[in-house]
């Protein structure tokens, strides 16, 4: 049933017919939004590329040629995933609002509450440990850390502060999501998709302005305006609910995505003062939107087995912890590794292994003893605030964490 039929159902005829039609719409959404472990596989790939890039930053052409910016590509995938999941969950909340189940005030309060409980605990634990150990520049810049404005600090100083610079992408997303629910939940539905597209073009326009006025390259990268097109690209897919199904021409789509990523990589290594450099982010975002749409349907064969691998799925589930703690782990090893064992972190391949295992262990502990208990708490608080979730929803009472999709109502564990 299309949106026109949906609005006809709730706007024409008896109120009973409108309720019945909206119930059909909600049932359709619940049927489509099953848990897809392949998304956790994508999250894992995104965070692992960032970790590999950071852990090997001082080694030329290791493990891949330097022109392949793994970290930048991984962050772009995170942003697209985040925009997709958050907007899809807000769209479902909007459906419940339009069906008369929720008020806008309660819906937005629940959204902000859940974002705080999802992002805050691990973020502030990281900050507290870094402060205690006096790592990098955190004691000098702690107000920026605790106000979630590290991205603005980096742009103003035009440098990457040790220990906290990786927080910029988390800060960008949280600043974006301060206002995003207002657009998705309150704007007339017929204008929402157009508004999302306008936000995407605003991101491109910002980078064009940065090139024209010779703004610092770092500012183009870390300020929230520079990520608008990536977040909005995922958001457009999340609002539309688009899925890309398998077809005989799938190899053509795969080749298109690969070509877009290669062109983006080449442009990223070209002169950043040229206008063509602003195409890097849209090309990557476009390729990743296609990838996300295909993953929503589910890959088959070897790709499905790879993305659904238990280890990769677990890494995706704890991807936020992997991202937030990986710099902390690296700095602790660099400072306190005994001299007789320093070969473990001076040999690049061993360093990747040691740092990777230590980060995985740290993130798993955080997930088990910090994030999971708080996730259960926020679920209980949401049910009390919004009432029982309709029958059949993944968030209904009794669904286990392994059964429940991590990207459903008001959850988006793709921050990075």
């Amino acid at each position: 049933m299309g949106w026109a039929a949906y609005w006809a159902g709730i706007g024409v005829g008896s109120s009973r017919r409108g309720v019945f039609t909206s119930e059909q719409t909600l049932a359709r959404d619940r049927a489509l939004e099953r848990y897809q472990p392949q998304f956790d596989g994508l999250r894992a790939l995104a965070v692992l590329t960032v970790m590999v890039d950071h852990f090997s930053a001082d080694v030329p052409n290791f493990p891949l040629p330097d022109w392949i910016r793994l970290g930048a590509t991984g962050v772009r995938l995170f942003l697209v995933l985040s925009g997709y999941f958050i907007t899809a969950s807000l769209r479902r909340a909007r459906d419940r609002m339009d069906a008369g189940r929720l008020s806008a005030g309660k819906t937005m309060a629940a959204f902000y509450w859940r974002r705080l409980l999802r992002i805050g605990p691990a973020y502030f634990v990281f900050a507290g440990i870094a402060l205690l150990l006096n790592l990098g520049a955190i004691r000098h810049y702690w107000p920026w850390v605790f106000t979630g404005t590290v991205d603005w600090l980096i742009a103003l100083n035009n440098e990457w502060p040790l220990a906290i610079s990786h927080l910029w992408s988390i800060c960008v997303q949280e600043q974006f999501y301060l206002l995003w629910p207002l657009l998705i939940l309150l704007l007339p539905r017929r204008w929402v998709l157009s508004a999302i597209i306008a936000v995407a073009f605003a991101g491109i326009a910002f980078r064009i302005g940065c090139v024209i006025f010779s703004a610092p390259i770092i500012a183009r990268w870390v300020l929230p305006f520079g990520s608008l097109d990536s977040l909005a690209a995922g958001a457009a897919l999340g609002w539309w609910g688009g899925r890309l199904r398998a077809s005989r021409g799938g190899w053509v789509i795969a080749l298109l995505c690969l070509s877009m990523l290669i062109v983006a990589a080449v442009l990223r290594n070209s002169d950043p003062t040229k206008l063509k450099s602003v195409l890097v982010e849209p090309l990557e975002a476009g390729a990743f939107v296609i990838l996300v749409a295909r993953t929503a349907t589910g890959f088959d064969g070897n790709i499905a087995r790879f993305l659904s691998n238990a280890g990769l799925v677990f890494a995706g589930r704890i991807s936020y912890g992997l991202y937030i703690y990986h710099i902390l782990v690296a700095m602790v090893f660099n400072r306190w590794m005994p001299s007789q064992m320093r070969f473990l972190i001076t040999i690049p391949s061993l360093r990747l292994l040691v740092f990777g295992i230590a980060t995985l262990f740290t993130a798993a502990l955080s997930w088990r003893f910090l994030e999971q208990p708080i996730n259960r708490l926020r679920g209980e608080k949401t049910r009390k605030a919004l009432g029982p979730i309709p029958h059949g929803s993944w968030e209904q009472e009794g669904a286990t964490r392994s059964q429940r999709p991590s990207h459903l109502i008001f959850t988006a564990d793709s921050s990075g």
Side-chain angles (χ1 to χ4, degrees):
M1 176 177 21
W3 288 119
Y6 172 76
W7 279 107
I10 65 173
V12 179
S14 69
S15 59
R16 178 173 297 180
R17 180 184 175 186
V19 171
F20 177 73
T21 307
S22 59
E23 288 282 2
Q24 285 183 325
T25 302
L26 294 172
R28 177 206 61 190
D29 283 348
R30 288 196 297 269
L32 289 174
E33 283 138 11
R34 66 195 187 282
Y35 173 55
Q36 176 51 277
Q38 294 178 23
F39 273 125
D40 280 325
L42 276 190
R43 287 192 184 96
L45 293 179
V47 74
L48 290 174
T49 57
V50 174
M51 290 168 60
V52 168
D53 186 65
H54 287 171
F55 291 160
S56 60
D58 61 334
V59 185
N61 295 307
F62 176 84
L64 294 174
D66 286 345
W67 67 272
I68 302 177
R69 307 283 182 85
L70 284 175
T73 304
V75 168
R76 195 64 47 198
L77 177 54
F78 260 129
L79 293 173
V80 171
L81 282 168
S82 183
Y84 170 74
F85 288 137
I86 286 288
T87 305
S89 63
L90 286 170
R91 176 179 59 83
R92 288 187 290 274
R94 175 68 181 261
D95 288 343
R96 295 185 68 197
M97 284 173 49
D98 292 340
R101 294 181 179 272
L102 297 174
S103 68
K106 281 189 174 182
T107 302
M108 285 189 285
F111 175 85
Y112 293 127
W113 172 250
R114 292 183 65 87
R115 287 302 296 174
L116 177 62
L117 289 183
R118 178 66 189 103
I119 300 302
Y123 182 97
F124 291 118
V125 165
F126 159 81
I129 295 174
L131 274 172
L132 182 65
L133 300 178
N134 193 22
L135 295 179
I138 191 166
R139 288 191 180 176
H140 186 61
Y141 294 126
W142 67 265
W144 300 85
V145 174
F146 284 94
T147 56
T149 52
V150 173
D151 52 332
W152 289 91
L153 167 69
I154 295 171
L156 290 172
N157 289 351
N158 197 30
E159 64 179 10
W160 300 98
L162 287 175
I164 61 173
S165 59
H166 68 299
L167 301 179
W168 75 268
S169 62
I170 298 172
C171 295
V172 161
Q173 291 181 68
E174 295 317 299
Q175 291 160 26
F176 178 77
Y177 294 129
L178 284 176
L179 299 177
W180 197 242
L182 302 179
L183 185 152
I184 300 299
L185 298 177
L186 301 182
L187 200 66
R189 190 183 285 266
R190 65 183 180 277
W191 295 346
V192 171
L193 186 59
S194 298
I196 293 173
I197 294 172
V199 168
F201 278 104
I204 299 173
F206 168 76
R207 286 196 302 278
I208 291 175
C210 287
V211 171
I212 293 174
F213 296 103
S214 302
I217 302 301
I218 291 181
R220 285 171 55 182
W221 176 256
V222 302
L223 288 179
F225 316 109
S227 296
L228 288 180
D229 48 340
S230 298
L231 289 163
L237 184 66
W239 175 260
W240 176 47
R243 292 164 181 260
L244 186 61
R245 301 196 177 278
S247 66
R248 292 182 179 180
W251 66 271
V252 177
I253 296 174
L255 184 60
L256 173 64
C257 290
L258 181 61
S259 300
M260 293 167 71
L261 293 175
I262 291 174
V263 172
V266 171
L267 290 177
R268 180 176 278 118
N269 287 275
S270 63
D271 187 351
T273 64
K274 303 296 184 181
L275 276 176
K276 63 182 180 181
S277 67
V278 306
L279 296 175
V280 172
E281 290 82 1
L283 283 169
E284 288 185 337
F288 289 143
V289 162
I290 295 173
L291 178 62
V292 170
R294 184 66 183 86
T295 305
T297 302
F299 287 99
D300 301 317
N302 292 330
I303 297 178
R305 283 187 286 274
F306 173 71
L307 289 177
S308 301
N309 174 273
L312 204 62
V313 168
F314 178 70
R317 188 166 296 170
I318 64 171
S319 58
Y320 178 57
L322 291 173
Y323 186 86
I324 202 79
Y325 297 120
H326 78 282
I327 295 297
L328 173 67
V329 167
M331 296 192 74
V332 167
F333 270 92
N334 278 319
R335 179 179 293 186
W336 282 290
M337 176 70 78
S339 58
Q340 62 269 27
M341 299 182 64
R342 293 198 71 82
F343 71 93
L344 292 174
I345 62 174
T346 55
I347 299 175
S349 55
L350 287 179
R351 181 201 304 168
L352 285 180
L353 184 63
V354 171
F355 284 3
I357 292 175
T359 304
L360 182 66
F361 180 73
T362 303
L365 286 177
S366 175
W367 174 255
R368 174 65 179 84
F369 296 106
L370 176 67
E371 296 167 72
Q372 264 194 325
I374 292 177
N375 283 345
R376 287 192 289 268
L377 171 65
R378 68 179 182 148
E380 293 171 2
K381 294 290 186 182
T382 300
R383 281 190 292 272
K384 289 180 180 179
L386 302 182
I389 304 300
H391 177 72
S393 169
W394 280 104
E395 288 215 346
Q396 72 184 51
E397 191 78 35
T400 66
R401 179 61 183 85
S402 61
Q403 295 172 321
R404 192 182 308 131
S406 56
H407 57 278
L408 287 190
I409 301 175
F410 297 128
T411 63
D413 300 343
S414 59
S415 303

